[in-house]
Amino acid sequence: MMKKQTIDRPLALICAALIFSGFLIFSSAALGILARDADEVVSVITGHIGLGFGLGAVALFLASRISYRAWRTYAPYLYGLALFATALVFVPGIGIEAGGAHRWVSIFGVSFQPSEALKIGTVLMLAWYFSRIKKEVGDWVRGFFGFLIIVGLPGILLLLQPDTGTYGVIVIAAIAMYVAAGAHWKSTAALIAVGCVLLAALAFFRPYVFDRVHTFLNPEHDPQGSGYQIKQSLIAIGSGGLWGRGFGQSVQKFELLPEPINDSIFAVAAEEFGLIGSLTLLGLFLALGIRGLVIAMRAPDLFGALLAVGIVAYIVGQSFFNIAAMLGVIPLTGIPLVFVSQGGTALLVALGSVGILLNVSRSARVT
């Protein structure tokens, strides 16, 4: 079979459409911050546009040109480096505490969120590990418990921060890779059981997790408190109607909608572009997932296939969870919408991850 020498064009077009859409939606949502705090919007735009789109574009280009096989050599080191960087959030003078959480690091005046790098770092590590033990993935010791160790180390750091949402995204991608690598159904069932126990424990020991679940089940019990965000989100989405108010015309983003450039940004998009625009955005993420899985099935080796599965699972899974939370389908998670929400570090890592996926498509078998 022939091998491709260029990136997959449908995949490239889907990614370009998502990145361009994200830029437009963020630009409009940022107007809401401008009306609330003109000084804050400067730092927000500088971080998102400069670090995210600027360095992110460079990362995408370089990653798309570097052979994905090169990452296999350095995967354990990159995973270890991501763990180390994430642990720095607890170091006084380096880590930044905000709202009772330790999620940011500031070095030489530059702040970033290292847990974002932990997403792709874990994906690389799992792809490396499973491709090395591919004949023993179904083994309980090397396969199942090896998986638990690789996924458990990020969990310790992230749950201590706490950053439950980010860890949930990592777990989703990890399970998708585990299944794709050939895990036995009994192992998958055991993982689901472990996950349910962990969620129950978090809800018991972490009051904010319990509050989110309670708000999801009964959103009207505290409409001016814990239920305020989902209430305003649904108002924004509903007021968009079929075609939306128009680009830049959202009302909710100025005073009423909490976090209009972060986890609530889908509500801004739905208000301005309506049902048609919302379905288009959903369709683009779905198309990315489908095309990415096609690339995974055509990858010439297991490492490339698992890389593609992990990257697609974390990007699409995180995005769908964000949108579902804004629609009230699942409890609020606090995780951002990939390519759209504020976050220079998140956008940088996402674009770099897309670059790796595009490079895998270069070597995909043509059928």
Side-chain angles (χ1 to χ4, degrees):
M1 292 184 182
M2 295 178 60
K3 291 186 177 181
K4 293 183 178 180
Q5 300 300 318
T6 59
I7 60 175
D8 184 78
R9 289 185 179 179
L11 178 63
L13 289 174
I14 293 167
C15 293
L18 277 169
I19 295 167
F20 179 70
S21 299
F23 178 80
L24 286 180
I25 296 169
F26 174 81
S27 299
S28 175
L31 294 175
I33 300 298
L34 179 62
R36 302 180 191 188
D37 189 345
D39 294 330
E40 182 184 358
V41 77
V42 176
S43 61
V44 165
I45 292 178
T46 300
H48 191 76
I49 303 298
L51 177 61
F53 281 107
L55 292 181
V58 175
L60 189 154
F61 175 77
L62 292 177
S64 68
R65 304 297 299 180
I66 298 172
S67 173
Y68 72 88
R69 295 179 179 87
W71 298 105
R72 183 171 182 171
T73 303
Y74 302 102
Y77 306 105
L78 293 172
Y79 171 74
L81 182 61
L83 286 172
F84 174 75
T86 304
L88 289 178
V89 300
F90 302 108
V91 178
I94 297 178
I96 301 174
E97 180 182 358
H102 300 78
R103 300 179 183 176
W104 293 85
V105 167
S106 179
I107 299 178
F108 300 118
V110 178
S111 60
F112 58 94
Q113 192 171 4
S115 61
E116 292 295 333
L118 199 52
K119 295 176 184 176
I120 187 62
T122 305
V123 167
L124 286 167
M125 183 63 185
L126 286 171
W128 173 83
Y129 183 70
F130 287 142
S131 64
R132 285 177 61 89
I133 66 160
K134 54 186 176 182
K135 294 183 179 180
E136 301 174 89
V137 172
D139 181 73
W140 281 97
V141 176
R142 299 201 67 187
F144 183 75
F145 288 105
F147 171 86
L148 287 183
I149 292 172
I150 294 172
V151 177
L153 292 176
I156 295 173
L157 294 174
L158 293 173
L159 294 179
L160 285 174
Q161 290 187 9
D163 192 352
T164 310
T166 295
Y167 187 53
V169 171
I170 291 176
V171 170
I172 290 170
I175 292 177
M177 295 176 71
Y178 188 38
V179 172
H184 194 275
W185 69 267
K186 291 182 180 179
S187 301
T188 306
L191 279 178
I192 294 174
V194 170
C196 290
V197 172
L198 180 60
L199 282 175
L202 284 173
F204 182 78
F205 291 105
R206 296 282 173 84
Y208 78 92
V209 175
F210 178 81
D211 288 343
R212 287 181 176 180
V213 175
H214 185 245
T215 299
F216 167 70
L217 297 174
N218 185 19
E220 298 298 327
H221 87 283
D222 188 11
Q224 297 302 316
S226 60
Y228 182 76
Q229 183 174 4
I230 185 60
K231 176 183 176 182
Q232 295 303 322
S233 173
L234 292 175
I235 290 174
I237 293 170
S239 63
L242 183 61
W243 296 103
R245 296 179 182 272
F247 177 66
Q249 301 303 309
S250 168
V251 175
Q252 294 288 110
K253 69 185 178 185
F254 288 105
E255 294 292 341
L256 300 173
L257 188 64
E259 306 294 336
I261 60 174
N262 290 313
D263 50 311
S264 296
I265 200 167
F266 175 76
V268 176
E271 184 180 2
E272 295 189 349
F273 298 103
L275 178 63
I276 300 300
S278 300
L279 290 177
T280 300
L281 186 61
L282 278 167
L284 286 172
F285 278 113
L286 181 60
L288 174 62
I290 294 173
R291 195 63 194 174
L293 292 179
V294 170
I295 298 302
M297 289 188 292
R298 294 178 178 176
D301 55 35
L302 183 60
F303 180 72
L306 293 179
L307 264 185
V309 169
I311 290 171
V312 164
Y314 113 67
I315 291 178
V316 177
Q318 176 175 326
S319 300
F320 278 5
F321 268 90
N322 171 275
I323 294 171
M326 290 300 100
L327 291 170
V329 177
I330 63 173
L332 291 173
T333 60
I335 60 176
L337 183 57
V338 184
F339 303 125
V340 185
S341 295
Q342 176 203 6
T345 310
L347 185 55
L348 169 63
V349 172
L351 291 177
S353 300
V354 166
I356 295 175
L357 181 60
L358 288 171
N359 186 267
V360 175
S361 75
R362 286 181 181 273
S363 301
R365 297 187 298 268
V366 179
T367 58

